[in-house]
């Protein structure tokens, strides 16, 4: 009951704060919440880990969205900036949570690809 109430309150706070934010920030919050759900399917996060991840991932995703215009105009710079953004996110997450836990969280946040091959009849 407490967990569902906390989720409801968190959802309400996010939806209220989203109204006052830019489109990219709203998308960043949605993306971050989806990542949190994906991570929690695999591992359990403490409240501190969750808050840290939300803060860092929101900044990471917002910067990534801001880099989108470079993709068309200067693909090489875009690629370099995205790599730098990825490295910066990993560095900050590692500094905040430790190397082992950060790696575990990052791996859990990746979508699992379904590589099942269909059998030919």
């Amino acid at each position: 009951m407490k967990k569902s109430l906390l989720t409801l309150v968190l959802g309400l706070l996010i939806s209220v704060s989203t109204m006052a934010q830019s489109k990219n920030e709203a998308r960043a919050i949605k993306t971050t919440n989806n990542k949190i759900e994906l991570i929690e399917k695999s591992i359990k996060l403490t409240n501190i880990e969750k808050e840290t991840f939300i803060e860092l991932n929101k900044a990471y995703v917002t910067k990534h969205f801001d880099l989108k215009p470079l993709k068309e105009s200067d693909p090489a710079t875009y690629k370099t900036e995205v790599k730098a953004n990825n490295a910066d996110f990993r560095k900050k997450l590692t500094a905040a949570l430790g190397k082992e836990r950060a790696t575990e969280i990052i791996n859990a946040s990746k979508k699992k690809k379904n590589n099942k091959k269909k059998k030919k009849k």
Side-chain angles (χ1 to χ4, degrees):
M1 183 68 182
K2 286 182 182 180
K3 191 173 185 178
S4 60
L5 183 59
L6 179 63
T7 304
L8 177 63
V9 170
L10 182 63
L12 288 173
L13 288 174
I14 290 172
S15 62
V16 169
S17 64
T18 302
M19 290 179 198
Q21 296 173 343
S22 74
K23 183 179 176 183
N24 282 348
E25 286 185 39
R27 287 176 56 203
I29 290 171
K30 183 177 178 183
T31 302
T32 301
N33 288 337
N34 290 340
K35 287 262 187 184
I36 290 288
E37 289 176 13
L38 185 63
I39 291 168
E40 289 194 326
K41 287 180 181 178
S42 302
I43 59 175
K44 179 69 177 146
L45 296 175
T46 65
N47 288 338
I48 294 170
E49 290 172 336
K50 191 181 292 187
E51 289 172 10
T52 302
F53 182 83
I54 288 171
E55 179 183 325
L56 295 175
N57 196 64
K58 183 180 157 196
Y60 162 76
V61 172
T62 302
K63 184 170 182 180
H64 190 77
F65 289 149
D66 291 342
L67 294 173
K68 279 286 194 196
L70 280 177
K71 192 172 187 176
E72 295 290 324
S73 63
D74 191 358
T77 303
Y78 171 76
K79 190 173 184 177
T80 304
E81 290 293 324
V82 167
K83 284 184 180 182
N85 191 28
N86 291 343
D88 185 49
F89 172 71
R90 283 181 171 268
K91 182 180 176 182
K92 288 178 180 177
L93 193 64
T94 301
L97 303 176
K99 184 176 182 177
E100 185 177 315
R101 188 62 175 168
T103 302
E104 186 179 5
I105 290 170
I106 289 170
N107 289 338
S109 71
K110 295 177 183 175
K111 290 185 179 180
K112 308 288 188 270
K113 293 184 179 179
N114 190 358
N115 291 329
K116 294 180 181 177
K117 294 182 179 180
K118 294 182 179 179
K119 296 179 181 179
K120 292 184 179 180
K121 292 184 180 181

